[in-house]
Amino acid sequence: MLKGAGAAGLAGLAGCTGGGGSDTLEVLHGWTGGDGADAADALFSAFEDEHSDIDFNENPIGGGGNENLDQTVANRLQGGNPPSSFAGWPGANLEQYGDAVGDIESEVWDEAGLKEAHVQEAVELCEYNDGFSAVPLGSHRLNDLFYNVGVLEDAGVDPESIDSADALIDALDAVESETDATPFAFSLAPWCILQTWAQTMLGEHGYEAYTNFIDGNGDEAAVRDTFEKLEQILGYINSDAASVDFTEVNQDIMSGDAAFIHQGNWAAGAYLSPDRDLTYGEDWDAIRYPGTEDYYTLHIDSFIYPSDNPTPEDTATWLQFVGSEEAQVAFNQYKGSIPTLTDVSTDEFNPYLTDTIDDFDNAAEKPPTLAHGLAVDTSTQADLEDVLNNNFADPYDVDGATSGFMDSV
Amino acid sequence: MKRFLLLLRSIRRTQGEGPESERTSGERRVMTDGGTSEKRSTFQRWLDSDIVQSAPFWLPPFLLMGFFVYAAIGWNFLLSLTEYSGFGDPDYSNLGLQNYWAMLDDPGMWAATRNTFVLLVGFTVVCLIVGLLLALLLDREIRFSRSFRTIYLLPFALSFIVTAQFWRWMYNVNNGIINQFIGVFGLGPYSWLGSPKLVLGAVIFALVWQFSGYTMIIYLAALRSIPNDQYEAARADGASTVRMYWRVIIPQLRPAMVSATVTLVLFALKAFDFLYATFDGYRPRRGADILATKMVRESFGRSEWAYGSSIALMLFVLSLGVITPYLYNQYKRGNL
């Protein structure tokens, strides 16, 4: 009922604001603030430079960590009033859309030769229903463990020696006893617990155990062991973890009030901000999450193609552009992510992202992130987050969380 | 309203008097009791009936309410019988109660229902007590009572988004004012919004803070309508202040209490916005999930539209359970 009314309302609204209606290329995305907004500006002005003949209307919908964007997209697809294209995760995330997303294999992927230009994992994640429904825009790395260099020096911890969960726990212990800083800055938001659980699983039990779990053939002993390790690690977090979000605790890394934080590499955007006088390698640095040194845990932002498209030709032009080097360099250097293209010039990227691109090219495996739509469908991801919220968000119940995870996937 | 309608009708009557009396004069005939009768068609009588005459007043809101509220509720019920989820259109050909059975097997549903009831009862009872005490205090004509009244009512005027943010800061484990305060007495710090044991109590406390001023105003209005004679009579009979209030005044506040209770309970059933703002999304911490947040999460988070609809209907039935006895009571007293 709510949805129907919402869809009707939105359809009405879009009808009013659409202006030219079906002639205008309309692109929805969620980058409304900070580095995201800068990146979106760069992307759209690059598009304007290259295709000045195409009328377009970019429509940013912020708030709620993409909750509002996803809801608007859902309502418009449902109401038969799809935008030309919208930003979202590819991979299993596409499954929720059913037939509401269309195929652009020949118009975009073959036409622009994107299959050869992008890394194989990104290509596969955009495949859907025996065709292609999305084009990758950029990638964040999920298995970064950021740290404050000064705090680690005070604690006498050598970050390069941390290569397992046990080594991490020893390091956290050293920080706790030697300094006043929080050893492990953390937010107990379910998606944060999920992404750290996934990296712990990957680091302790390897790529195969991780993909087996995603495919629904998880080894119960491995899942349980991961929860046991994670429980120990979460023994070193800030006491207000239950009521803060990651941007707040990330401040503590910059101010030297915390030692480590595990986040996707969007967290580095704050460190690199010109308002902060912080230097990569001197004030802050990153290692791979312990045990995942050979991997690049893959997160992908993409643009998705709705079927029943109001502007099929212009949308194809737009999506070819999204997959091009111009678009990906323009966008990612500001977003703090990297292109999914295989061979790309690093001139425009800062030293941290240049290192990331280098790791991307040399990673043995690129496992998909579990907490960002690539590995499991929306509903499974919500189930996993519910299990964590109910069993593993302080207090920690290893048995309940393990059986919940085994039942969910 | 009624008087106005009668006036309207009498104007129409006088306007129609001339030609009508001419037309009907031939049909006028003597009745057995000696009076005369006017023979009017059924249609005309129907046109003249109260219900048709007043139609311009009640029909538009009736249709609007009927369509936007009751038809929507009906549609919602229909949706809850389908297996509608994800994208596409609902399939109405195969209806069943499977979503309601699924609720019984869903532990999250039980937890949300339990939390809803705890919130409902705890919030309403504490609010009524605090509001009554404040109202009695202000009724004693203490100094600055007007200023106090404003101060107590102020939280009610604030948006939930604002108060939720206040309480988020105040409940912060490390630097929140609540933990700072109880730290003076050597207690805490407690994770008010983090611990599953404390979180619902913390939410109830914040809501009581916001709503007790409203309850107070309702009580105060009722108190002011009690004649002074009764206070004086009670005094003259030698009643103490406590006894006077307990025996004479408070029993007369029953209607005020009933209407305040209904408002508070209905609010508590859908305390969604406060939780949404406090937890920055529709997944509250464990221990604070209520039916309203679960309903939105199932529908908009997972696109389980049919299941979300059935939770919505549960909420609707609960609301009806509260409002029906109240309406019936009012009807019996002739207030409706």
Side-chain angles (χ1 to χ4, degrees):
Chain A
M1 175 201 89
L2 281 170
K3 171 203 58 61
L10 272 164
L13 195 72
C16 297
T17 54
S22 54
D23 303 327
T24 315
L25 175 73
E26 188 192 13
V27 179
L28 305 188
H29 65 83
W31 298 297
T32 50
D35 37 15
D38 293 343
D41 281 349
L43 176 68
F44 286 103
S45 53
F47 180 69
E48 206 169 6
D49 290 346
E50 203 157 306
H51 299 280
S52 52
D53 53 322
I54 296 181
D55 251 0
F56 74 93
N57 172 17
E58 59 143 332
N59 195 350
I61 298 165
N66 283 349
E67 233 168 49
N68 296 344
L69 172 68
D70 294 344
Q71 206 166 303
T72 307
V73 166
N75 284 338
R76 291 192 49 176
L77 294 182
Q78 192 96 54
N81 175 35
S84 304
S85 181
F86 60 92
W89 301 319
N93 182 53
L94 293 171
E95 286 169 26
Q96 61 176 309
Y97 297 116
D99 293 334
V101 293
D103 177 25
I104 39 160
E105 180 165 10
S106 60
E107 298 92 324
V108 177
W109 282 83
D110 290 340
E111 178 93 21
L114 297 181
K115 284 179 194 164
E116 297 75 38
H118 288 265
V119 294
Q120 191 200 345
E121 288 84 355
V123 176
E124 282 167 9
L125 285 165
C126 292
E127 281 180 40
Y128 179 67
N129 268 358
D130 300 326
F132 282 79
S133 293
V135 174
L137 173 65
S139 168
H140 283 293
R141 179 168 57 192
L142 246 298
N143 54 330
D144 270 21
L145 184 67
F146 296 101
Y147 58 88
N148 181 303
V149 174
V151 175
L152 259 60
E153 277 170 6
D154 291 348
V157 171
D158 170 23
E160 297 305 325
S161 69
I162 304 173
D163 56 1
S164 67
D166 288 331
L168 175 63
I169 291 162
D170 289 344
L172 296 174
D173 206 53
V175 173
E176 184 167 60
S177 55
E178 301 297 323
T179 72
D180 292 334
T182 302
F184 200 66
F186 203 73
S187 157
L188 281 169
W191 68 270
C192 292
I193 311 173
L194 183 58
Q195 68 182 11
T196 304
W197 182 87
Q199 302 324 306
T200 313
M201 174 84 177
L202 192 60
E204 292 297 291
H205 298 279
Y207 179 74
E208 205 173 315
Y210 178 74
T211 43
N212 283 345
F213 173 75
I214 288 168
D215 296 338
N217 308 314
D219 174 17
E220 209 240 356
V223 172
R224 177 181 299 276
D225 176 67
T226 306
F227 274 117
E228 281 167 357
K229 290 277 164 30
L230 188 59
E231 182 183 6
Q232 292 183 51
I233 294 168
L234 296 185
Y236 295 95
I237 62 176
N238 36 303
S239 51
D240 59 357
S243 53
V244 291
D245 65 25
F246 86 90
T247 53
E248 290 172 69
V249 288
N250 204 22
Q251 306 279 336
D252 293 345
I253 297 291
M254 294 187 267
S255 63
D257 293 316
F260 292 99
I261 188 169
H262 166 244
Q263 268 298 335
N265 70 357
W266 46 77
Y271 313 151
L272 294 163
S273 155
D275 307 339
R276 300 260 174 187
D277 192 21
L278 297 175
T279 313
Y280 171 55
E282 286 175 27
D283 299 306
W284 65 278
D285 208 334
I287 53 170
R288 299 299 73 70
Y289 194 87
T292 67
E293 289 79 8
D294 296 336
Y295 308 136
Y296 176 103
T297 306
L298 189 62
H299 161 285
I300 290 183
D301 278 317
S302 73
F303 273 100
I304 300 170
Y305 179 86
S307 55
D308 195 15
N309 204 282
T311 56
E313 280 169 25
D314 287 350
T315 310
T317 311
W318 160 253
L319 290 175
Q320 287 186 17
F321 171 76
V322 167
S324 72
E325 186 165 350
E326 291 81 359
Q328 297 216 340
V329 170
F331 180 82
N332 289 306
Q333 56 174 310
Y334 294 106
K335 184 66 173 59
S337 42
I338 63 167
T340 51
L341 294 157
T342 41
D343 191 19
V344 72
S345 151
T346 56
D347 296 348
E348 303 291 333
F349 292 89
N350 63 47
Y352 168 67
L353 288 179
T354 305
D355 287 355
T356 310
I357 293 170
D358 197 39
D359 295 340
F360 181 75
D361 292 339
N362 295 313
E365 300 286 356
K366 300 190 186 68
T369 167
L370 184 59
H372 306 86
L374 298 190
V376 292
D377 63 72
T378 336
S379 151
T380 309
Q381 193 182 316
D383 286 343
L384 294 174
E385 289 178 6
D386 275 352
V387 168
L388 292 173
N389 196 40
N390 290 331
N391 299 291
F392 214 72
D394 192 13
Y396 307 104
D397 170 11
V398 172
D399 290 337
T402 304
S403 64
F405 263 41
M406 294 306 291
D407 292 345
S408 297
V409 182
Chain B
M1 174 80 179
K2 207 164 187 175
R3 200 173 289 176
F4 177 68
L5 282 175
L6 285 173
L7 185 75
L8 199 77
R9 192 189 296 180
S10 70
I11 292 170
R12 279 190 53 154
R13 281 265 166 80
T14 40
Q15 279 172 345
E17 201 92 281
E20 194 185 313
S21 53
E22 268 170 44
R23 187 158 45 82
T24 54
S25 59
E27 291 171 16
R28 214 166 260 189
R29 56 190 168 182
V30 180
M31 301 278 287
T32 44
D33 60 353
T36 56
S37 91
E38 233 173 82
K39 196 182 174 194
R40 298 160 63 94
S41 71
T42 328
F43 179 67
Q44 215 151 17
R45 247 184 297 142
W46 182 74
L47 267 187
D48 272 353
S49 67
D50 258 354
I51 195 140
V52 176
Q53 291 276 312
S54 55
F57 298 94
W58 62 261
L59 194 62
F62 179 81
L63 289 179
L64 290 173
M65 288 287 283
F67 182 74
F68 287 113
V69 178
Y70 297 102
I73 292 171
W75 186 22
N76 182 72
F77 176 63
L78 199 62
L79 272 183
S80 75
L81 300 177
T82 66
E83 292 189 356
Y84 186 24
S85 71
F87 284 80
D89 293 314
D91 171 18
Y92 294 110
S93 62
N94 190 12
L95 302 179
L97 290 171
Q98 65 280 359
N99 284 315
Y100 296 91
W101 300 126
M103 270 187 205
L104 296 177
D105 284 337
D106 181 356
M109 189 69 200
W110 288 105
T113 312
R114 192 192 57 225
N115 292 340
T116 305
F117 272 104
V118 171
L119 179 75
L120 193 107
V121 174
F123 163 72
T124 311
V125 169
V126 177
C127 235
L128 286 173
I129 293 172
V130 174
L132 179 65
L133 291 178
L134 290 177
L136 293 180
L137 204 68
L138 292 183
D139 194 45
R140 297 303 296 159
E141 299 290 333
I142 54 167
R143 272 161 68 92
F144 308 118
S145 69
R146 275 164 192 277
S147 314
F148 278 121
R149 203 169 63 200
T150 314
I151 289 171
Y152 292 141
L153 191 59
L154 196 64
F156 187 62
L158 295 175
S159 149
F160 285 122
I161 309 300
V162 176
T163 55
Q165 191 59 53
F166 280 168
W167 283 101
R168 261 183 90 153
W169 287 329
M170 290 198 282
Y171 280 140
N172 186 296
V173 188
N174 296 329
N175 44 28
I177 193 166
I178 309 257
N179 276 343
Q180 303 270 342
F181 177 74
I182 62 171
V184 174
F185 305 101
L187 296 169
Y190 295 110
S191 178
W192 298 104
L193 292 177
S195 157
K197 290 199 180 77
L198 296 175
V199 61
L200 195 57
V203 167
I204 291 175
F205 185 83
L207 289 174
V208 165
W209 169 80
Q210 186 154 12
F211 272 81
S212 49
Y214 163 78
T215 327
M216 172 200 76
I217 286 290
I218 304 269
Y219 277 129
L220 207 55
L223 281 173
R224 291 285 151 87
S225 68
I226 296 173
N228 273 340
D229 313 4
Q230 299 194 7
Y231 292 84
E232 283 159 19
R235 283 265 180 251
D237 286 347
S240 68
T241 306
V242 174
R243 205 176 165 79
M244 175 181 78
Y245 274 110
W246 189 245
R247 291 281 185 187
V248 180
I249 307 302
I250 293 181
Q252 301 195 49
L253 297 177
R254 199 173 155 268
M257 195 187 84
V258 170
S259 67
T261 307
V262 170
T263 318
L264 293 174
V265 167
L266 289 184
F267 169 75
L269 275 176
K270 48 193 167 66
F272 172 81
D273 31 13
F274 188 83
L275 291 174
Y276 185 87
T278 307
F279 298 100
D280 205 14
Y282 36 60
R283 194 199 302 271
R285 284 284 293 173
R286 171 179 160 211
D289 195 19
I290 62 171
L291 287 173
T293 43
K294 184 162 173 67
M295 169 185 78
V296 176
R297 201 166 63 240
E298 292 291 345
S299 313
F300 294 97
R302 294 165 183 251
S303 303
E304 294 288 346
W305 308 112
Y307 194 50
S309 300
S310 52
I311 300 173
L313 208 87
M314 281 283 294
L315 256 177
F316 176 66
V317 169
L318 285 176
S319 309
L320 271 190
V322 175
I323 195 97
T324 311
Y326 171 73
L327 288 180
Y328 182 68
N329 187 21
Q330 293 286 306
Y331 175 74
K332 262 191 9 195
R333 287 158 180 266
N335 290 345
L336 274 185

